[in-house]
Amino acid sequence: MLVVRSATYGNPDYANYDLKQLIFYLAGFVVAIVAVLFDYRFFMKYWYLLYIVGIALLVLVLFLGAEINGARSWFRLQDGILFQPAEFMKLLLIMTVAAILARREGDPLSFKSDLLPIAAISLIPFALVMVQPDLGNAIIYVVIVLGMLWIGRVKYWHVLTGVALMVGGLILAVSLFNTYNEEIKDFLSDRGKYHWYERINTYINPETASDDAKHQSEKSLIAIGSGGLTGDGYMKGDMKNRRFIPYPYSDSIFVVIGEEFGFQGGALLLLLYFLLIYRMIMIAFQCTDLKGSYIIVGIVSMFVFQIFENIGMMIGLMPITGITLPFISYGGTSLLINMLCIGLVFSIRAHQPDPEQTA
């Protein structure tokens, strides 16, 4: 909340965002506590209904959603509150895949009866979110499923085949992008998606990217680098650099942390993330119910990728996408879903069946 305040200070367009974030956090704690009180196994009985609800919301937002920054990804609720179904779908996809994996009871996954159904179930929300378009959340869906499949005992030759296909597909995509660069640029520009081209081209071909396209990544590096070891101090960041960085209160909030708290502030944040992830992994190891373990693995995969991608794109390691930093970035839907995920982990820890009962 304090970092959001610093990121929005002096900008009347984002007044009181820090107070709104506090309200979202209070609501998030309520959501987490309610989640603990309910046995997660009750909801897992109706995973298919929850999945259908999530898909229905993704379809409806394409027709009834509000278009913001070229993406139709949000429902505009009362008093200007926005709800993003793609965030909610992350948790529903985790629960769906966990239910399917648990049917194998720890046996290696079959390509026909396990991998193909999971691929089909994952492809539907992936495609719907890409149409919005929301590349960041679509990639998170893929990462969640891959992480859960790995723990779900996918066969090694399936892994090797999948890795080969992904590497080959990536090489082919980069080759086609460079070969038909101008055509892709014109195609996306005609459809109002030029920013997609800029982000991809800046990452693949930084030496030929325009100064405007490289502006955000360069300014982010300058701002973070200026923080040094200890930072410039709270509320003392150099606005000359930061004002050119879009969404410093949301997607780019790590820039504010690096600039004002320096390397030690960024390291402390990563340490806190590590402790959170470590504790969730330990709970997953202690589970006597496979569904619970798979759910936690999916949540861990989601958090780890979001942390890596958000910080990585600010320091030039990853392409820039619209992914928030968990629990830090401003955003009601993402924060509430993250708190719900933590509440679900608590529920799994609190409502573990006895080993004899599970057997």
Side-chain angles (χ1 to χ4, degrees):
M1 186 188 73
L2 294 175
V3 177
V4 170
R5 177 177 176 80
S6 178
T8 58
Y9 182 76
N11 193 330
D13 294 335
Y14 307 120
N16 299 322
Y17 268 35
D18 53 334
L19 297 179
K20 292 180 181 179
Q21 185 77 342
L22 175 60
I23 294 173
F24 289 140
Y25 249 114
L26 293 176
F29 277 110
V30 173
V31 169
I33 292 172
V34 171
V36 178
L37 298 178
F38 285 91
D39 191 333
Y40 72 100
R41 290 173 293 177
F42 172 79
F43 295 102
M44 290 302 294
K45 294 178 181 178
Y46 306 100
W47 61 267
Y48 51 92
L49 294 178
L50 295 174
Y51 176 81
I52 293 173
V53 169
I55 296 299
L57 290 174
L58 291 179
V59 173
L60 286 176
V61 79
L62 295 176
F63 299 96
L64 305 178
E67 184 171 342
I68 301 175
N69 298 325
R72 193 176 296 275
S73 305
W74 295 267
F75 287 117
R76 194 181 297 276
L77 307 179
Q78 191 175 5
D79 298 328
I81 298 177
L82 299 175
F83 171 70
Q84 189 174 10
E87 292 282 349
F88 187 44
M89 190 65 210
K90 295 176 188 176
L91 182 55
L92 300 184
L93 181 61
I94 289 172
M95 297 174 69
T96 300
V97 176
I100 297 175
L101 291 177
R103 295 185 307 185
R104 298 294 296 180
E105 299 181 349
D107 293 333
L109 300 179
S110 166
F111 179 78
K112 183 177 180 180
S113 59
D114 298 312
L115 296 184
L116 284 183
I118 290 174
I121 285 174
S122 307
L123 182 61
I124 297 173
F126 176 86
L128 290 173
V129 171
M130 284 294 291
V131 171
Q132 292 180 3
D134 184 356
L135 179 62
N137 278 318
I139 294 176
I140 292 175
Y141 293 163
V142 176
V143 172
I144 287 172
V145 173
L146 291 179
M148 297 181 71
L149 287 178
W150 179 257
I151 300 300
R153 295 196 65 188
V154 63
K155 295 178 181 178
Y156 286 116
W157 75 271
H158 289 158
V159 174
L160 294 175
T161 303
V163 170
L165 290 174
M166 286 190 290
V167 172
L170 182 61
I171 295 174
L172 178 62
V174 172
S175 176
L176 291 175
F177 182 84
N178 289 328
T179 303
Y180 299 99
N181 193 286
E182 289 299 323
E183 290 82 354
I184 295 174
K185 177 180 177 181
D186 295 339
F187 177 81
L188 293 176
S189 299
D190 293 341
R191 286 155 178 79
K193 310 300 180 186
Y194 179 68
H195 64 284
W196 272 39
Y197 168 81
E198 281 192 320
R199 289 179 175 182
I200 298 173
N201 190 60
T202 301
Y203 185 72
I204 296 178
N205 305 306
E207 67 283 350
T208 62
S210 65
D211 292 338
D212 291 339
K214 295 185 291 185
H215 197 73
Q216 180 178 356
S217 57
E218 290 178 348
K219 286 296 182 181
S220 298
L221 283 171
I222 292 173
I224 294 174
S226 68
L229 179 62
T230 59
D232 297 333
Y234 180 61
M235 300 288 285
K236 296 180 180 179
D238 185 2
M239 298 302 293
K240 180 177 65 175
N241 289 323
R242 194 190 302 169
R243 67 182 180 181
F244 295 108
I245 300 173
Y247 310 112
Y249 56 90
S250 180
D251 298 349
S252 306
I253 199 166
F254 186 76
V255 173
V256 183
I257 295 173
E259 187 180 35
E260 297 190 350
F261 302 101
F263 175 81
Q264 63 182 15
L268 176 60
L269 177 63
L270 289 176
L271 175 61
L272 293 174
Y273 277 133
F274 171 80
L275 294 175
L276 176 68
I277 298 301
Y278 169 78
R279 184 58 188 146
M280 286 195 290
I281 291 175
M282 292 305 298
I283 294 175
F285 275 129
Q286 296 165 2
C287 281
T288 56
D289 178 29
L290 282 176
K291 292 188 182 73
S293 296
Y294 291 142
I295 290 172
I296 295 176
V297 168
I299 293 174
V300 167
S301 300
M302 178 182 71
F303 283 157
V304 168
F305 177 77
Q306 286 190 217
I307 295 166
F308 179 76
E309 168 61 26
N310 183 277
I311 297 177
M313 71 183 183
M314 292 295 104
I315 58 178
L317 292 179
M318 298 292 286
I320 294 177
T321 58
I323 291 180
T324 57
L325 190 60
F327 305 104
I328 305 296
S329 295
Y330 173 84
T333 305
S334 61
L335 180 57
L336 290 176
I337 296 302
N338 289 339
M339 294 295 284
L340 178 58
C341 288
I342 295 299
L344 188 59
V345 175
F346 288 161
S347 176
I348 293 171
R349 180 67 182 88
H351 298 283
Q352 276 301 294
D354 295 331
E356 294 81 4
Q357 181 182 352
T358 305

